[in-house]
Structures are given as structure tokens and as C-alpha cells.
């Protein structure tokens, strides 16, 4: 869908060209969000950028909070005229998909069946065990940011969420440091990078592939980092939660780079990115089932 001329008023031609040519999902859409938002910060406010990106990709399957995350995470390296773009590109570049390596891993993997022998979670269609799982993943009474959607959310103590989580679809996979924080443009919100605490889990999600293929990649990555949880999104993807509390960011970035080269979505690198609530309920009514849980990987 083309942006209206009024929405692009005063934008340079190269920016209008960038906005008018978004790729399809699966061939670089998320990278396009980040790259385009990075340029637009010089010309538009946060909400205006979000509206432009949403209009440009009308009809594409956009993930909850994906555009907002791209806008927020790109603000720290926003483009400006005369900037050293070569150096910026070098520092912010994510690896491209290594199709041959991914294919080898999938061919040698056991798929979903490979997860089962290591899971301590009793699978089945019993009543939701969201509260039980969250108690394991986040012991004590930390602040958690959870939501019905990327627009309807709240940050509350774990004890205040009890009995309510099974009906939600989203959660930030690390405790929050405060109830509220400031967005990049200075607005107060209960879901910002500034009020997200240190990483507790790094979540790996893949944009494509069958559940068996995604599971094989997650089990391969589990050789490098402790896989604590695997959650089905209620649609097509599996979210792998890797325990990482206290791990230096440079080590985690190398791990994330490798995961991205195998097909992972880099959106979950942002500490404040929403992911699927374990055993929660997706907006289409589907249950986000637990495929794997191993509490022994978690150091309290």
C-alpha cells in the first residue's frame, strides 16, 4: 500500500522511495522496519513514524509490537545528514541467513521429538499451568510487564498478576525495574526499554520453518546456552527461552548473531520486546502451549 502524498510531505525523495518499497514477510520485512525507522527519526516524531510504517505495510502479517520495537531500538543509532554511515553500518549489522548451515542442522536434528526427552513438563490438554510456570521462571515477587496486546498492557508485581496470566498473550521475558519509564520521545509508559531490568531470558523466535525445523534449530542452540522453555505461539512459531541472567552482553550478542544466521528474528534482542505468554491465550483464542520446560537450567 502506498503512503499518501500528504504523509510524505517534506520528506526527501530517497526517504519516500524507501517507504514505498517494503519487502514481503519472510524476505527482510523486519530489517526494513528498523532501517526505515532509523532514517525517519530525523524527520518525524515516534508516533508519526509508527503510523507511516504501519500504513506502508498494510496487509502484511506484522507481529504485535514489532513496529514499535523497531522504532524504539533504532532511535539510538538514528541517521542524520553527514553521519559516518559506513561505521554505523559496521556496528549495527546483523548477519544474513546461512541457508546451508540451517539446512544441515535441520537435516541432522530430531525435530519436536528431540525436545520431549529433556522436558520435565507434563504435556497435554489439562487446565492452563501459566501461574505455575511463571513461578518457576520468575521466583519471588518481581515486577512483570504483561499484556492482552502490544497496546493493552500493565506492569505489576507477580503477586498482583496471579490468576490473570492464562488469559493474556504477551510478556516481557525479564523483570521490570520500575512500574513506569520513559519512551525515546519522552512519554511515560509501563512498557519501555528504560524500565526493563537486566536480561533474565533471551528468547529466540524464527520467522519461518515448520515446528520440527524450528525445534531442531532450538536444540542445536541449546548446546551453546541453557534452554529453559519452549512455547508454541498459537500460530506458526516456537519461542525458545534461554536463561542468561548475569551473562555479559557481548557474549549474548555473539549468541544472538549466530541464532540470527540460522533464521532467528532479531526483534527479540530488545530487552523490552514482548514474547508469547507461556501457556497463555493468543488473540485468536489459541492456547500458547508449552512444548518444553527444564527448570534445572535456571539458577535462582
Amino acid at each position: 500500500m502506498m503512503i499518501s502524498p500528504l504523509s510524505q510531505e517534506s520528506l526527501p525523495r530517497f526517504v519516500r522511495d524507501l517507504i514505498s518499497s517494503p519487502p514481503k514477510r519472510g524476505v527482510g520485512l523486519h530489517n526494513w522496519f528498523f532501517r526505515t525507522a532509523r532514517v525517519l527519526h530525523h524527520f518525524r516524531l515516534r508516533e508519526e513514524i509508527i503510523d507511516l510504517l504501519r500504513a506502508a505495510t498494510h496487509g502484511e502479517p506484522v507481529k504485535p509490537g514489532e513496529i514499535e520495537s523497531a522504532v524504539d531500538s533504532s532511535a539510538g543509532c538514528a541517521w542524520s545528514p553527514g553521519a559516518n554511515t559506513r561505521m554505523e553500518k559496521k556496528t549495527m549489522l546483523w548477519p544474513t541467513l546461512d541457508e546451508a548451515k540451517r539446512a544441515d542442522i535441520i537435516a541432522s536434528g530430531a525435530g519436536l521429538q528431540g525436545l520431549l526427552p529433556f522436558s520435565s513438563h507434563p504435556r497435554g490438554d489439562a487446565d492452563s499451568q501459566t501461574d505455575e510456570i511463571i513461578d518457576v521462571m520468575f521466583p519471588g515477587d518481581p515486577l512483570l510487564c504483561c499484556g492482552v496486546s502490544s497496546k493493552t498492557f500493565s506492569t505489576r508485581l507477580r503477586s498482583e498478576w496471579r490468576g490473570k496470566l492464562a488469559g493474556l498473550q504477551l510478556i516481557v521475558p525479564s523483570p521490570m525495574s520500575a512500574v513506569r519509564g520513559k519512551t525515546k520521545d519522552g512519554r511515560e509508559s509501563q512498557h519501555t526499554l528504560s524500565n526493563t531490568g537486566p536480561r533474565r531470558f533471551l528468547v529466540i523466535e524464527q520467522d519461518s520453518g515448520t515446528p520440527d525445523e524450528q525445534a531442531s534449530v532450538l536444540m542445536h542452540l541449546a548446546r551453546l546456552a541453557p534452554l529453559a522453555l519452549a512455547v508454541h505461539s498459537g500460530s506458526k512459531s516456537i519461542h525458545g527461552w534461554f536463561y542468561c541472567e548475569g551473562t555479559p552482553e557481548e557474549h549474548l550478542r555473539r549468541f544472538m548473531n549466530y541464532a540470527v544466521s540460522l533464521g532467528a528474528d532479531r526483534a527479540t534482542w530488545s530487552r523490552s520486546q514482548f514474547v508469547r505468554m507461556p501457556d497463555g491465550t493468543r488473540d485468536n483464542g489459541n492456547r500458547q502451549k508449552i512444548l518444553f520446560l527444564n527448570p534445572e537450567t535456571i539458577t535462582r
Side-chain angles (χ1 to χ4, degrees), residues 97-109 213 216-217 262:
L97 175 63
D98 187 336
E99 295 183 4
K101 178 67 173 177
R102 177 179 168 85
D104 286 345
I105 290 170
I106 291 171
S108 60
E213 291 171 345
S216 291
V217 172
L262 299 180

Side-chain angles (χ1 to χ4, degrees), residues 117-185:
F118 303 98
S119 179
S120 63
H121 179 69
R123 296 171 358 105
D125 294 321
D127 292 340
S128 175
Q129 298 179 20
T130 305
D131 277 314
E132 175 187 334
I133 293 166
I134 293 300
D135 284 340
V136 170
M137 305 296 279
F138 300 98
D141 197 19
L143 286 168
L144 300 177
C145 184
C146 309
V148 175
S149 70
S150 60
K151 294 183 178 180
T152 305
F153 52 80
S154 182
T155 293
R156 306 176 187 175
L157 290 171
R158 165 69 188 100
S159 55
E160 297 177 278
W161 280 120
R162 190 164 299 281
K164 303 179 179 70
L165 297 177
L168 306 181
Q169 66 168 334
L170 301 174
I171 183 171
V172 174
S174 295
M176 309 302 282
S177 58
V179 173
R180 294 176 178 82
K182 293 287 187 179
T183 62
K184 296 288 186 180
D185 60 358

Side-chain angles (χ1 to χ4, degrees), residues 25 29 33 53-54 57-67:
R25 169 63 71 194
L29 180 60
F33 281 136
L53 297 182
R54 184 172 290 121
T57 54
H58 178 75
E60 286 294 316
V62 177
K63 301 171 186 177
E66 181 176 16
I67 293 177

Side-chain angles (χ1 to χ4, degrees), residues 105-291:
I105 290 170
I106 291 171
S108 60
L112 286 172
Q113 293 302 314
L115 289 172
L116 303 186
F118 303 98
S119 179
S120 63
H121 179 69
R123 296 171 358 105
D125 294 321
D127 292 340
S128 175
Q129 298 179 20
T130 305
D131 277 314
E132 175 187 334
I133 293 166
I134 293 300
D135 284 340
V136 170
M137 305 296 279
F138 300 98
D141 197 19
L143 286 168
L144 300 177
C145 184
C146 309
V148 175
S149 70
S150 60
K151 294 183 178 180
T152 305
F153 52 80
S154 182
T155 293
R156 306 176 187 175
L157 290 171
R158 165 69 188 100
S159 55
E160 297 177 278
W161 280 120
R162 190 164 299 281
K164 303 179 179 70
L165 297 177
L168 306 181
Q169 66 168 334
L170 301 174
I171 183 171
V172 174
S174 295
M176 309 302 282
S177 58
V179 173
R180 294 176 178 82
K182 293 287 187 179
T183 62
K184 296 288 186 180
D185 60 358
R187 294 182 303 107
E188 188 176 87
S189 173
Q190 293 190 27
H191 177 224
T192 73
L193 186 60
S194 68
N195 74 319
T196 303
R199 295 186 198 273
R200 181 167 173 82
F201 297 97
L202 179 57
V203 176
I204 301 299
E205 179 193 13
Q206 298 164 69
D207 270 335
S208 61
T210 67
D212 279 324
E213 291 171 345
Q214 294 182 38
S216 291
V217 172
L218 288 177
M219 289 304 294
H220 173 78
L221 292 172
R223 300 175 184 175
L224 306 175
L227 178 63
L229 179 71
V231 180
H232 193 274
S233 70
S235 181
K236 298 179 180 179
S237 64
I238 300 174
H239 287 207
W241 292 49
F242 290 84
Y243 178 71
C244 65
E245 190 168 59
T247 304
E249 283 288 287
E250 59 268 25
H251 294 176
L252 293 176
R253 180 56 189 251
R254 286 197 294 269
F255 175 76
M256 189 70 185
N257 279 347
Y258 183 56
V260 169
S261 77
L262 299 180
D265 186 345
R266 66 181 181 82
T268 55
W269 173 249
S270 172
R271 283 185 293 113
S272 60
Q273 178 69 22
F274 276 129
V275 297
R276 294 293 163 183
M277 175 71 72
D279 225 11
T281 306
R282 194 179 172 95
D283 54 1
N284 59 10
N286 289 345
R287 187 168 162 189
Q288 297 165 174
K289 294 183 179 181
I290 304 304
L291 302 176

Side-chain angles (χ1 to χ4, degrees), residues 68-83:
E68 292 84 349
S69 175
V71 173
D72 291 341
S73 60
S74 64
C77 57
W79 174 86
S80 62

